[in-house]
Amino acid sequence: MSWLAKTILLAVGALSVALGVLGMFLPLLPTTPLLLLAAFCFARSSERAHRWLLHNRWFGEYLRNYHERRGITLRHKVVTLSTLWVTIGLSTLFLVPLWWVKLLLLAIAAGVTVYLLRLNTLRPEEASRREE
């Protein structure tokens, strides 16, 4: 792969991490897809950045478990769904004036809820266990 392609992938990965972190606090930015995009970009551009992302203190374990298709912990589900519904609820009540946008936000939140509830729920000891 050329240095230009690696540089572009590294930049897209860094931007995805920044937006993913913002998505933890803003209701319309999807954190998980952005962090997964960053992992994809880093895996193809920088082993060091990829390793940093997968071993990051805040979302490394979450990404590793998700990537390995093992699932997410009950704590992650509860925090994610609580944050989702509080931010979407506040947005629809106080920020969004159009009824159809409110419905769209609620439909997106419902879809994300169904998706998260269908993921495997890991016990804490399973989440921290690494496959050799």
Side-chain angles (χ1 to χ4, degrees), residues 50-93:
H50 189 244
R51 188 173 40 254
W52 169 81
L53 185 66
L54 293 181
H55 296 285
N56 182 281
R57 165 174 109 163
W58 292 295
F59 39 80
E61 181 180 316
Y62 172 77
L63 285 173
R64 286 191 310 274
N65 286 329
Y66 190 92
H67 179 70
E68 295 167 2
R69 298 179 196 270
R70 294 190 331 194
I72 62 174
T73 64
L74 180 60
R75 179 181 168 275
H76 279 121
K77 283 186 180 185
V78 169
V79 168
T80 301
L81 290 172
S82 299
T83 304
L84 171 72
W85 282 103
V86 166
T87 56
I88 292 290
L90 291 173
S91 295
T92 57
L93 288 175

Side-chain angles (χ1 to χ4, degrees), residues 16-33:
S16 296
V17 169
L19 292 173
V21 170
L22 281 176
M24 293 175 179
F25 307 101
L26 300 174
L28 296 178
L29 282 175
T31 301
T32 299

Side-chain angles (χ1 to χ4, degrees), residues 90-112:
L90 291 173
S91 295
T92 57
L93 288 175
F94 301 112
L95 298 176
V96 178
L98 302 172
W99 67 268
W100 63 271
V101 176
K102 290 179 183 192
L103 284 178
L104 179 63
L105 288 174
L106 292 172
I108 291 169
V112 170

Side-chain angles (χ1 to χ4, degrees), residues 4-16 41-42 45-46 49-50:
L4 180 60
K6 285 186 177 190
T7 302
I8 291 170
L9 285 170
L10 190 60
V12 170
L15 179 62
S16 296
C41 292
F42 288 162
S45 63
S46 169
H50 189 244

